Amino acid sequence: MRVPELIQRKRDGEELEREELSFLIDGYLRGEIPDYQISAFLMAVFFKGLSEAETDSLTAILIASGEKLDLSDIPGAKVDKHSTGGVGDKTSLIAAPLAAAAGVVVPMISGRALGHTGGTLDKLESIPGFNVNLTVDQFKAQLAQHKLAFIGQTDQITPADGKLYALRDVTATVESIPLIASSIMSKKVAVGLDSLVLDVKVGSGAFMKQQVHARRLAQLMVGIGRRLDKKVQALITDMNQPLGFAVGNALEVMEVSQTLQNSGPIDLTRLSLELAARMIFLAKLTPTLDAARELAQMKLLDGSGYRKLKEVIAAQGGNAQVLDRFDLLPNATGMREIITTRGGYVSAIDAEGIGKSVVMIGGGRNTAADTIDHAVGIILEVKVGQKVDAGSVLCRLYYTSETNLEEAAEVVEDSFRISSSAPEQRDIILEVVG
Amino acid sequence: MRVPELIQRKRDGEELEREELSFLIDGYLRGEIPDYQISAFLMAVFFKGLSEAETDSLTAILIASGEKLDLSDIPGAKVDKHSTGGVGDKTSLIAAPLAAAAGVVVPMISGRALGHTGGTLDKLESIPGFNVNLTVDQFKAQLAQHKLAFIGQTDQITPADGKLYALRDVTATVESIPLIASSIMSKKVAVGLDSLVLDVKVGSGAFMKQQVHARRLAQLMVGIGRRLDKKVQALITDMNQPLGFAVGNALEVMEVSQTLQNSGPIDLTRLSLELAARMIFLAKLTPTLDAARELAQMKLLDGSGYRKLKEVIAAQGGNAQVLDRFDLLPNATGMREIITTRGGYVSAIDAEGIGKSVVMIGGGRNTAADTIDHAVGIILEVKVGQKVDAGSVLCRLYYTSETNLEEAAEVVEDSFRISSSAPEQRDIILEVVG
């Protein structure tokens, strides 16, 4: 097989066989095929897509590139929840404890912040002492004992995906629906899940700007799962404003604590409960989805989700007191209020702008090598649909250094749109697939 | 400027500024931007194209990446002829001596065989002693004395084009009309030409399979030339069968000799005369194109083109006797006749198949590092439109080793199509642009 010919065939819209895709991807992983050929191939895939068969093949090749985690000796259904990435999205830290408290085994493999979107691992690491680098044995022992454990992606699981993703990130080939679908699904299948609840974000703050694309991505992942005998359900949810009020690592942990004590933002509470309910239902712990919703609600109201998160923080070496004493979390040293000069209705809060401004003051990463300031971030004072007077505070920017502060404040200010008429209200959950 | 953002903007169909293109290309040439980002960019260009302004910018950037040849101290108009590459295309070795004999200064910068297409430098090197590696001073001295000199592309001229072309070759991004146009035009302008005659091939044996694409390429190059104050004319010519009868380096030199003695194939003679006439006309040596055609014809009939080629061969260290004594050229040791099993009309001779079979027996290159067997090749016994009986010879395959011989013979046989009715005859010159 000649690499330029394979690239050319994909470029010309032909379908490649599994052996041909495996020749490319495995050869790349072994260092036999250079990155400049693979990046040209990925750009051809960006334009020409992959068929369902090719996407299944690629998923299988990525899974086979590394080790598989065997969780079969842990009793109970293993269900994870995965989000395609948003701003202020801390649902993992709420839905997972709720589902675990209800009896679901939740092996949570999470990612890090990149670009304007946050990452669960970084949020957890704002808790003093919290260790996300468990060994596989520690991870499995904690799952058996507490039903919930958080770790990062290891090099042993789907290494080809890691190498491909790093290349896509620097060659403008991230936003390809079949590449996103196979990347996510390969990682989830390789860690031995039985079922998966997906949260596919759509809107200004998400990779997918249009609902039709989010739907295609959701359908593709549900289909890959079905053909691998994994139950997958996807919620398509709104990311046209940040989720909840808090954006920034320690600030989000504080909001998680409030929400698990049933005093969090409405949108965040609603979405976290629905995700937990679907995890419970896919784990077959209740006969109906409605019963699962009641169970999730109960685990919120009786505080068992809150206690579960404390238990897991302690198990992973973290100081669980932070959920009650926010002064134990990293705290910013400066605060800047962003004021509106005109009154009216908040008609949009550009989540990408909010996310980028947090990165600008050190709360996220532009490249994988950047370090993060866990203390900084933004607390919204208003949400879309709210009426504001001229001179009122739209949000507060928390910072520890004045570097980039002015630019960030400008980006934040530009992220708010104030209109004279009230915008149409839309539910946070737009659609269910699967 | 961030490279992934520039790639993304091109991917999304945006127009890049000259400084942005120069940031990419110059950064790549300096080794500051890695090849995997440039190959993704090139694939995005393949799909989204370049605007006229971007193509002009790219051409200027390629020219500025290296030295320019200054031919202004050589009296007379400097006119070159360039073909986009075909099979059996030895017109450079005929048109250039005819034009030089008529008084045109022809600084012929030629290429090497790659894939199924041949290269002028390789044909010349089948002549014992012929040296294509002249210094710039030798090249200019020979031009001043003989009006014609052949050299290869040097590393000093448009080095960015050389580096980009090598990358395109292995990433399936060669076939992009704006990339081809800027590559050709940058090289031609950098060597100080006043005018240029282009031979844009179209058909099964050419890069451009469709006349509409060949026309776009021709129009683009004529436009780039016009905006740089260079007169450019393009012939769009048929490559749906090899040009002439001979394919293979030494075999083509023999056919060149015959054609310059006015006993060559009709199609080859007609096209070479027209190219020479346009070179003469662009050099303003005659008041009209028809007068230029008459002058070219005269230089053929009186043998001065033939003598000019001998003179130039001798000037570049080659044995000029080869044009009379073909036994002094490398000769093949074996011959295989390809016979037709059915009678009828030859309706097609797939030039790509013929070219590939010659590569298979050693007469061309799959990669730039391959060495060439100058002796081997094919002599057609028939051309499209000819009537053949079952059992008659279609062509003869000349070889020196039996490696790949059977496979090559099969490819040759499959390249001929025999039909029961006579095909429509078409002129070798399909269209003139500019």
Side-chain angles (χ1 to χ4, degrees), chain A residues 4 7-8 11 35-37 39-40 43-44 46-48 167 170-172 175, chain B residues 4 7-8 11 35-37 39-40 43-44 46-48 167 170-172 175:
Chain A
I7 303 173
Q8 181 174 343
R11 184 197 79 184
D35 39 19
Y36 55 80
Q37 291 185 313
S39 64
M43 187 59 87
F46 176 89
F47 282 102
K48 289 295 182 168
L167 186 60
V170 293
T171 56
E175 299 94 334
Chain B
I7 302 173
Q8 180 174 341
R11 183 197 80 185
D35 40 18
Y36 55 79
Q37 291 185 312
S39 65
M43 187 60 87
F46 175 89
F47 281 102
K48 290 295 183 168
L167 186 60
V170 292
T171 56
E175 299 94 334

Side-chain angles (χ1 to χ4, degrees), chain B residues 283-300:
Chain B
K284 297 185 186 151
L285 295 177
T286 58
T288 64
L289 179 58
D290 276 336
R293 285 181 178 130
E294 274 171 43
L295 185 55
Q297 177 86 22
M298 210 179 77
K299 295 297 168 189
L300 178 72

Side-chain angles (χ1 to χ4, degrees), chain B residues 340-411:
Chain B
T340 178
T341 53
R342 59 177 288 204
Y345 291 91
V346 178
S347 60
I349 307 176
D350 178 39
E352 186 167 355
I354 298 291
K356 280 188 173 167
S357 66
V358 172
V359 176
M360 289 167 80
I361 57 173
R365 286 188 187 83
N366 276 318
T367 72
D370 291 352
T371 57
I372 278 190
D373 183 344
H374 292 100
V376 305
I378 287 171
I379 301 284
L380 301 179
E381 292 299 319
V382 298
K383 296 277 283 185
V384 168
Q386 209 162 316
K387 200 165 184 302
V388 291
D389 297 321
S392 59
V393 177
L394 296 174
C395 71
R396 293 188 167 84
L397 195 57
Y398 292 88
Y399 60 90
T400 56
S401 143
E402 306 217 344
T403 311
N404 295 329
L405 180 63
E406 294 309 321
E407 298 88 325
E410 255 176 61
V411 173

